[in-house]
RNA sequence: GCGCGAUUAGCUCAGCGGUAGAGCGCCUGCUUCACACGCAGGAAGUCGCAGGUUCGAACCCUGCAUCGCGCACCA
């Protein structure tokens, strides 16, 4: 490539290189490699999923880690795949079925329905995989896994059998979270508490045998009165303690009012409501426990779908639970026992998937008593796993400390079938139970339920790998995920890893932030505030999207997304593109250029020093997973250091016979390293430029990562650039257009400055710069660290305007001097501050004073 | 109720004990032969509030406020 287009055009470039990488098998991990291993398993997106900005963030980070590992000489495995996502996928297919064929899954039957789900999965599933390729993800696609793959699914069942045999899995009738829409039990983690505005209803019941003595009860759920089997008070509550042992009449259903005992239980709070609790063991977890303690009967008044059943009475049977609430209040009012209703806000548990309130329900489910909870906590405490940011450790530890058994059975069809078989026994009502994968034989019926999706994904880190792969790449190096699945996935994976491999599944866990919109709201489809990443890629290129996003994604902090930031990412890519274009216009590139063998200009030395500084900043950024820091460091290096100073200065140095070679060598050397450092963030652009510039014909991702060299700073370059800024400011204050070439004069005692005149001329866009011995007439003075710069104002500006400007300038300088003097005048400061700080202030004072002196001289000369 | 995070320029965010920073936006001037997806310059902040520690605090400590997120059986 001898000539580059004027602007970077990502579309063609991206497609070209991705196809090439695949064709070259660059992403395929080799377990027999002698290189050190680096591995990541992808958090498997749902097969139903489409790419969101959250995925972009997450997977860009993984890709950055993977590509950087390749560049640092590792054999890299980034293992991709998808999750069967039980409820989500089943729901999608059921919806389609209803819409297109007006059928339910029961119309088809289990086998046929599952066939349809697989058919859907083959046809529409895994769109997200193709989208990840558009992003540039360097996954080893030859190892793509699915949580329902035959081998994987078998391992899931084997693990179930194993845990069953160890006595950790058991079946029991318990209070579970029931989703009346999905018609399945849920784990505690799948229940999202939401604040709900409702009412607290107060109603009264008369104590039997004590006419005129009423108990007032407060409830948010009057529709469950029909299921009440007691009322409870706290035995230490003096208002009510004497009533314990008495009875009240349950008002509903009207045709079946029943006598309920008044019991005493410590779970009842004095302060809440009236201090009297209605106890509904079938529909509330606390009430269920109270019921257990007092051997209360359990009256389940609801159907699985959340409608009321016949036990609720004729007025309620068939009503939805929320209609029943309205009806119950109405009935209480009719009975004249509704005392009052007051607005009330409380937390209601919602089903994560279906987004409806869950119903606590007593049902027969499978539970897991978690293995390895102690070692899992120790892994973090002792540092065999580290979290970034660290604060999540506390959250993790707290959860493990208070861990509850996991309800792992789901009343769905799509998923891993529970490997348990039943057979009617000989005797009346006895059932034989066998836990094994294959049917024990004739007449045995398999448990109809499937396992929670997370019961399969918790094995993801090791069961996605075959034996040689595991040997090389397990435990994995890092896991990148959102903190929202710290319990669902991260914690459980640690326990599974410890139980089944004897090792932790990963060394580092990086928790990303959550992407929000500009108002700080979560991205969601319903709000319509979630931009389609593919549109963004189309508009700004995958690299622009990646870089723009990474620059604003500080470690584990939520991110407010603003498309403008992606625009900046795109602009940055274009800037680098043009820097390379500039280089190519100067002639052929030397890929092995060594600037240290040449005489170098000040700005070349300065750039090399800044480059080394950036490399060490990047190293520490990777050590702490501070990606926005790395991106920002590269942004500064490329834009401010390389383009604004070095390239601009080079426009003089490239015409300088002695400096030309060194300048070109510096340019090649620096650009090569910039491309390498940038490659993890912007893989397409850097691959394109790597080849375009002629740095190599192999992929950039296997080139040598630049090591940090110690290159001292070049203070003269700093002095020179400060002088340029001061001079530019001077010109601007006269309102002179930057295109107007002006005559400058320089009075300097520094010898080295004389050889920088040409550079100065280019940076100031000067017509001429003349060295002088004393102050010229009709010129504005501008004291700088390299001497006094004069701007010839002859025929350019009115002297009286100039004088006024100088006066103003002197005022500002005077103020600064006073500030520093005050500080230095304070005895407590000079006595207590460290000597280097004090001398820093002294120096500052000197500089300001010199500046003031120069200004005063200039003004006086002008007045004369 | 407990825990965690955030609060710095109009916006998005750095800085975490020694002169308040960047990008965008805004204003001014530029078709300067890499780039208008650009160049140069400028205006703009009592660093949420109140105390404390310190010679010195955006930064450390203690409260408080606001926003957000977890966890918790308060009907």
């Amino acid at each position: 490539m001898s000539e580059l287009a004027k602007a970077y055009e990502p579309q063609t470039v991206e497609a070209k290189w991705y196809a090439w990488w695949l064709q070259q098998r660059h992403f395929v991990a080799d377990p027999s490699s002698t290189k050190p291993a680096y591995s990541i398993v992808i958090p498997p997106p749902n097969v139903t999923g489409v790419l969101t900005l959250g995925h972009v963030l997450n997977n860009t980070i993984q890709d950055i880690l993977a590509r950087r590992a390749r560049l640092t000489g590792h054999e890299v495995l980034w293992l991709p795949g998808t999750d069967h996502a039980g409820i989500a996928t089943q729901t999608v297919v059921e919806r389609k079925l209803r819409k297109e064929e007006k059928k339910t899954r029961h119309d088809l039957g289990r086998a046929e329905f599952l066939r349809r789900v697989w058919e859907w999965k083959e046809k529409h599933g895994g769109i997200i995989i193709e989208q990840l390729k558009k992003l540039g993800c360097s996954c080893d696609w030859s190892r793509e896994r699915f949580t329902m793959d035959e081998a994987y699914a078998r391992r899931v069942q084997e693990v179930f059998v194993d845990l069953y045999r160890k006595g950790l899995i058991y079946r029991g009738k318990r209070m579970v979270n029931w989703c009346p829409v999905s018609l399945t039990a849920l784990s505690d983690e799948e229940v999202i508490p939401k604040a709900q505005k409702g009412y607290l209803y107060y109603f009264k019941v008369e104590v039997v045998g004590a006419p005129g003595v009423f108990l007032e009860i407060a409830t948010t759920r009057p529709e469950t009165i029909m299921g009440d089997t007691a009322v409870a008070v706290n035995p230490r509550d003096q208002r009510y303690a004497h009533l314990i042992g008495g009875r009240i009449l349950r008002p509903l259903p009207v045709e079946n009012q029943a006598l309920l005992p008044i019991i005493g239980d410590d779970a009842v709070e004095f302060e809440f409501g009236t201090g009297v609790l209605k106890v509904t063991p079938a529909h509330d977890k606390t009430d269920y426990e109270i019921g257990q303690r007092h051997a209360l009967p359990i009256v389940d008044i609801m159907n699985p779908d959340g409608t009321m059943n016949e036990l609720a009475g004729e007025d309620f049977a068939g009503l939805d639970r929320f209609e029943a609430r309205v009806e119950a209040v109405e009935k209480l009012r009719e009975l004249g026992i509704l005392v009052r209703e007051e607005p009330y806000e409380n937390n209601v548990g919602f089903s994560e998937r279906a987004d409806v309130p869950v119903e606590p329900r007593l049902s027969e489910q499978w539970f897991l008593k978690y293995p390895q909870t102690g070692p899992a906590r120790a892994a973090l405490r002792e540092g065999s796993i580290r979290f970034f940011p660290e604060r999540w450790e506390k959250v993790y530890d707290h959860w493990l400390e208070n861990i509850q058994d996991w309800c792992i059975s789901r009343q769905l069809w799509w998923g891993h079938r529970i490997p348990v078989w039943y057979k009617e026994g000989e005797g009346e009502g006895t059932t034989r139970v066998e836990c094994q994968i294959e049917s024990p034989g004739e007449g045995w019926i398999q448990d109809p339920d499937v396992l929670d999706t997370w019961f399969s994904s918790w094995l993801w880190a090791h069961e996605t790998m075959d034996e040689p792969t595991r040997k090389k790449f397990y435990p994995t190096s890092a896991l990148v995920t959102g903190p929202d699945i710290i319990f669902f996935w991260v914690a459980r994976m640690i326990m599974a890893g410890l139980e089944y491999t004897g090792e932790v599944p990963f060394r580092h866990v990086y928790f990303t932030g959550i992407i929000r919109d500009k108002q700080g709201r979560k991205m969601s489809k319903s709000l319509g505030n979630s931009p389609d990443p593919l549109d963004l890629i189309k508009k700004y290129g995958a690299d622009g999207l990646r870089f723009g996003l990474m620059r604003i994604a500080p470690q584990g902090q939520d991110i407010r997304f603003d498309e403008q930031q992606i625009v900046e990412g795109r602009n940055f890519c274009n800037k680098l593109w043009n820097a390379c274009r500039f280089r190519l216009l100067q002639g052929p590139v030397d890929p092995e250029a060594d600037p240290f063998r040449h005489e170098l200009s000040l700005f070349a030395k300065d750039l090399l020093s800044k480059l080394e500084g950036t490399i060490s900043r990047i190293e520490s950024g990777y050590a702490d997973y501070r990606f926005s820091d790395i991106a920002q460091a590269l942004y500064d290096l490329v834009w401010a250091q390389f383009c604004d100073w070095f390239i601009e200065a080079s426009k003089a140095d490239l015409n300088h016979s002695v400096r030309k070679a060194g300048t070109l060598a510096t340019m090649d050397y620096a650009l090569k390293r910039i491309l390498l450092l940038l490659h993890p963030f912007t893989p397409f652009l850097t691959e394109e430029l790597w080849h375009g510039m002629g740095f190599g014909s192999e992929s950039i991702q296997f080139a040598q990562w630049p090591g940090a060299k110690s290159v001292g700073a070049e203070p003269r370059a700093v002095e020179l650039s400060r002088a340029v800024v001061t001079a530019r400011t001077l010109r601007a204050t006269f309102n002179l257009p930057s295109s107007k070439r002006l005559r400058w004069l320089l009075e300097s005692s520094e010898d080295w400055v004389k050889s920088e005149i040409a550079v100065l001329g280019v940076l100031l866009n000067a017509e001429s710069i003349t060295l002088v011995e004393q102050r010229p007439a009709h010129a504005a003075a501008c004291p700088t660290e390299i001497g006094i710069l004069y701007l010839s104002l002859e025929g350019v500006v009115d002297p009286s305007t100039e004088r006024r400007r100088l006066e103003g300038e002197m005022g500002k300088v005077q103020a600064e001097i006073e500030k520093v003097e005050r500080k230095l005048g304070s005895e407590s400061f000079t006595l207590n501050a460290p000597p280097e700080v004090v001398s820093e202030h002294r120096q500052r004072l000197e500089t300001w004073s010199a500046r003031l002196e120069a200004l005063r001289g200039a003004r006086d000369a002008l007045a004369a």
Side-chain angles (χ1 to χ4, degrees):
Chain A
M1 190 190 332
S2 56
E3 210 165 300
L4 297 179
K6 198 168 168 184
Y8 174 54
E9 286 151 9
Q11 289 74 17
T12 49
V13 170
E14 291 175 2
K16 174 179 73 181
W17 290 116
Y18 204 86
W20 187 69
W21 290 329
L22 289 183
Q23 185 250 321
Q24 297 285 312
R25 299 174 60 81
H26 280 332
F27 305 154
V28 177
D30 175 10
S32 65
S33 165
T34 53
K35 293 188 206 169
Y38 188 90
S39 54
I40 300 179
V41 290
I42 204 169
N46 291 353
V47 263
T48 52
V50 289
L51 198 69
T52 64
L53 277 173
H55 291 118
V56 172
L57 175 66
N58 203 280
N59 288 287
T60 297
I61 290 171
Q62 292 174 68
D63 197 42
I64 286 168
L65 293 173
R67 287 177 186 273
R68 137 117 171 151
R70 284 190 199 97
L71 280 164
T72 50
H74 292 81
E75 183 65 26
V76 173
L77 167 62
W78 180 11
L79 199 153
T82 48
D83 191 298
H84 68 283
I87 299 181
T89 309
Q90 175 162 324
T91 306
V92 166
V93 178
E94 280 185 296
R95 195 180 302 138
K96 184 168 180 268
L97 206 57
R98 204 175 312 125
K99 202 170 148 200
E100 292 175 5
E101 304 176 37
K102 307 238 181 299
K103 283 182 183 166
T104 69
R105 71 181 203 256
H106 301 282
D107 293 329
L108 296 186
R110 188 160 188 152
E112 173 61 14
F113 179 74
L114 287 179
R115 199 188 62 75
R116 297 289 189 96
V117 183
W118 275 107
E119 192 178 279
W120 182 91
K121 188 252 169 191
E122 296 310 328
K123 211 165 152 193
H124 308 284
I127 293 175
I128 195 164
I129 294 295
E130 292 313 306
Q131 297 177 320
L132 287 174
K133 294 177 182 172
K134 291 266 187 309
L135 228 205
C137 294
S138 59
C139 304
D140 182 352
W141 300 111
S142 72
R143 294 168 189 272
E144 187 181 333
R145 296 286 186 271
F146 179 51
T147 49
M148 296 266 281
D149 284 342
E150 210 180 318
Y152 192 92
R154 189 170 177 90
R155 279 298 292 150
V156 173
Q157 292 194 316
E158 282 170 11
V159 163
F160 183 101
V161 173
D162 179 66
L163 292 169
Y164 179 87
R165 301 217 165 122
K166 286 172 178 160
L168 294 173
I169 284 179
Y170 60 91
R171 191 165 183 242
K173 198 161 187 182
R174 296 269 201 102
M175 208 62 181
V176 296
N177 309 296
W178 182 263
C179 175
V181 169
S182 313
L183 300 178
T184 177
L186 301 173
S187 66
D188 295 343
E189 288 70 30
E190 286 165 288
V191 177
I192 315 294
K194 287 193 189 181
Q196 289 294 298
K197 284 192 170 65
Y199 290 90
L200 193 54
Y201 303 93
Y202 292 80
F203 66 100
K204 57 182 181 181
V205 288
E206 199 166 9
V207 176
V208 176
V213 179
F214 289 93
L215 276 181
E216 211 172 293
I217 304 173
T219 181
T220 54
R221 301 202 64 191
E223 73 277 19
T224 62
I225 290 175
M226 299 79 84
D228 289 354
T229 53
V231 298
V233 298
N234 194 299
R236 284 168 295 139
D237 189 337
Q238 289 171 6
R239 292 171 295 176
Y240 308 116
H242 63 282
L243 296 172
I244 294 171
R247 296 169 158 233
I248 58 103
L249 191 66
R250 184 186 67 202
L252 298 174
V254 181
E255 73 276 17
N256 185 23
Q257 297 186 335
L259 286 176
L260 303 182
I262 301 168
I263 59 173
D265 196 288
D266 287 335
V268 183
E269 301 279 335
F270 289 55
E271 294 81 15
F272 191 87
T274 57
V276 185
L277 172 69
K278 66 191 243 348
V279 183
T280 325
H283 298 285
D284 185 278
K285 207 179 164 209
T286 312
D287 290 9
Y288 174 73
E289 285 159 10
I290 294 173
Q292 291 295 94
R293 287 196 282 272
H294 298 269
L296 296 176
I298 296 165
V299 180
D300 187 342
I301 55 167
M302 278 186 218
N303 296 312
D305 65 355
T307 59
M308 311 305 285
N309 64 26
E310 57 286 355
L311 287 177
E314 56 196 21
D315 293 327
F316 295 98
L319 289 183
D320 178 77
R321 51 192 170 147
F322 298 108
E323 295 166 1
R325 180 174 302 171
V326 177
E327 183 61 22
V329 172
E330 195 46 46
K331 281 278 174 303
L332 292 176
R333 192 173 283 130
E334 280 172 22
L335 291 168
I337 58 174
L338 183 70
V339 180
R340 64 180 194 276
E341 44 193 312
E342 58 187 38
Y344 184 68
E345 191 177 305
N346 66 340
N347 279 335
V348 175
F350 274 65
S351 155
E352 192 200 21
R353 283 283 153 208
D355 199 33
V356 293
V358 297
E359 195 57 49
R361 184 165 183 253
L362 194 62
S363 72
E364 185 99 47
Q365 302 288 345
W366 288 94
F367 296 89
L368 168 68
K369 193 173 162 54
Y370 286 98
Q372 304 284 349
T373 53
R377 293 177 71 189
L380 268 291
R381 202 172 44 237
E382 287 157 15
S384 51
I385 300 177
R386 289 180 63 195
F387 283 176
F388 298 85
E390 232 175 19
R391 61 186 149 88
W392 293 108
E393 288 182 15
K394 207 167 165 179
V395 176
Y396 166 88
D397 197 65
H398 182 256
W399 184 75
L400 274 166
E401 191 182 355
N402 300 290
I403 200 161
Q404 304 287 316
D405 290 356
W406 177 10
C407 174
I408 51 173
S409 46
R410 295 290 176 275
Q411 287 64 54
L412 305 172
W413 287 353
W414 176 241
H416 304 86
R417 192 86 177 255
I418 289 180
V420 171
W421 305 80
Y422 306 104
K423 189 177 187 179
E424 289 306 318
E426 308 299 313
E428 186 75 8
T430 58
T431 305
R432 290 164 63 194
V433 179
E434 281 295 337
C435 179
Q436 60 186 67
I437 293 174
E438 312 300 340
S439 168
E442 193 77 14
W444 287 82
I445 295 167
Q446 188 169 9
D447 192 299
D449 289 352
V450 300
L451 289 161
D452 182 0
T453 298
W454 298 103
F455 191 89
S456 67
S457 18
W458 76 330
L459 308 175
W460 188 251
H462 39 95
E463 296 309 330
T464 46
M465 299 183 190
D466 58 22
E467 201 44 52
T469 309
R470 206 175 298 149
K471 204 166 168 207
K472 176 79 183 169
F473 293 105
Y474 186 89
T476 62
S477 315
L479 183 76
V480 179
T481 189
D484 48 334
I485 54 174
I486 185 169
F487 310 136
F488 278 120
W489 198 46
V490 179
R492 287 168 179 166
M493 246 197 303
I494 292 171
M495 290 184 270
L498 290 167
E499 180 75 6
Y500 289 102
T501 68
E503 287 186 273
V504 296
F506 29 70
R507 299 290 178 204
H508 290 176
V509 181
Y510 175 79
F511 290 104
T512 66
I514 290 166
I515 300 194
R516 302 172 176 283
D517 69 4
K518 265 187 106 170
Q519 284 94 56
R521 299 173 305 180
K522 257 187 184 168
M523 297 270 177
S524 79
K525 268 187 200 155
S526 54
L527 280 174
N529 59 353
S530 169
D532 181 353
L534 292 188
D535 287 345
L536 294 172
I537 289 176
K538 222 170 276 165
K539 276 168 84 175
Y540 306 111
D543 290 331
L545 173 61
R546 291 167 60 124
F547 193 84
L549 199 56
M550 290 318 298
R551 206 156 69 93
I552 53 157
Q555 194 198 55
Q557 221 50 271
D558 284 2
I559 296 145
R560 286 180 189 237
F561 182 79
D562 181 352
E563 190 165 325
Q564 182 57 40
Q565 287 146 348
I566 308 307
V567 172
E568 286 173 38
R570 188 266 320 257
N571 294 355
F572 174 72
C573 291
N574 190 56
K575 187 74 180 175
L576 178 66
W577 176 265
N578 274 289
C580 289
R581 198 159 85 96
F582 176 82
R583 172 60 190 88
L584 287 177
L585 294 174
Q586 315 303 322
V589 170
D590 174 8
E592 303 306 327
D594 180 4
F596 300 101
R597 295 169 47 189
H598 293 84
E599 182 176 328
L600 296 176
S601 68
L602 295 180
F603 282 107
K605 286 187 203 162
D606 186 51
L607 177 73
L608 292 169
S609 158
K610 295 269 168 50
L611 174 65
E612 299 313 322
T614 304
I615 290 175
S616 47
R617 192 173 153 194
I618 287 173
E619 289 307 323
S620 73
Y622 276 114
D624 298 335
Y625 294 86
R626 292 195 336 268
F627 299 101
S628 60
D629 232 46
I630 300 170
Q632 189 56 39
L634 287 163
Y635 188 94
D636 285 345
L637 178 70
V638 170
W639 206 303
Q641 305 310 327
F642 192 87
C643 293
D644 289 350
W645 285 110
F646 177 64
I647 286 192
E648 289 310 318
S650 80
K651 287 173 184 174
D653 293 327
L654 288 170
N655 294 322
H656 188 288
S657 56
V658 181
R659 289 181 181 176
K660 183 172 181 181
T663 300
L664 284 178
T666 304
M667 217 171 264
D668 295 348
Y669 178 90
L671 276 176
K672 183 175 178 180
R673 278 153 188 77
I674 285 169
L675 292 182
L676 287 164
L677 294 168
L678 210 46
H679 178 256
F681 287 75
T682 58
F684 296 110
L685 170 69
T686 48
E687 186 79 89
E688 171 77 5
L689 289 171
W690 185 258
H691 293 265
M693 300 284 290
F695 284 129
S697 52
E698 294 294 311
S699 172
I700 185 175
Q701 64 195 305
F702 298 106
Q704 174 76 43
W705 181 257
K709 238 187 176 105
S710 148
V711 179
E714 178 46 72
R716 287 172 178 177
V718 177
E719 288 174 26
L720 204 53
S721 56
R722 284 210 198 118
V724 168
V725 171
T726 314
R728 280 174 180 163
T729 309
L730 179 73
R731 182 182 56 197
T733 48
F734 287 112
N735 257 332
L736 299 168
S738 53
S739 60
K740 185 163 173 70
R741 310 182 117 234
L742 301 169
R743 277 171 292 133
W744 295 82
L745 306 105
L746 174 63
E747 181 187 342
S748 177
S749 53
E750 304 275 352
D751 259 356
W752 64 268
V753 173
K754 297 186 174 67
S755 49
E756 301 302 329
I757 297 296
V759 172
L760 214 47
V762 166
L763 294 175
L764 290 177
N765 191 32
E767 185 188 293
S768 63
I769 296 190
T770 316
L771 283 166
V772 295
E773 300 286 320
Q774 57 184 0
R775 181 187 161 75
H778 306 295
C782 172
T784 73
E785 289 166 69
I786 63 167
I788 304 173
L789 263 167
Y790 301 101
L791 172 56
S792 168
L793 295 169
E794 220 169 338
V796 178
V797 81
D798 174 11
S800 64
T801 321
E802 154 67 338
R803 208 161 48 223
R804 236 174 296 134
R805 208 198 62 78
L806 283 176
E807 298 281 1
E809 198 63 30
M810 284 165 66
K812 278 189 229 163
V813 172
Q814 188 63 51
E816 290 296 334
I817 288 173
E818 277 161 26
K819 227 162 98 184
V820 185
E821 271 178 345
R822 221 172 305 133
K823 185 116 189 175
L824 281 167
S826 142
E827 199 169 297
S828 51
F829 172 74
T830 45
L831 283 180
N832 295 302
E836 65 270 21
V837 175
V838 177
S839 75
E840 224 171 84
H841 278 75
R842 292 234 167 81
Q843 211 147 29
R844 208 170 291 153
L845 184 63
E846 262 171 51
T847 312
W848 284 117
S849 303
R851 210 165 283 183
L852 184 66
E853 215 39 56
L855 286 169
R856 190 170 292 147
R859 182 203 53 190
D860 294 348
L862 205 65

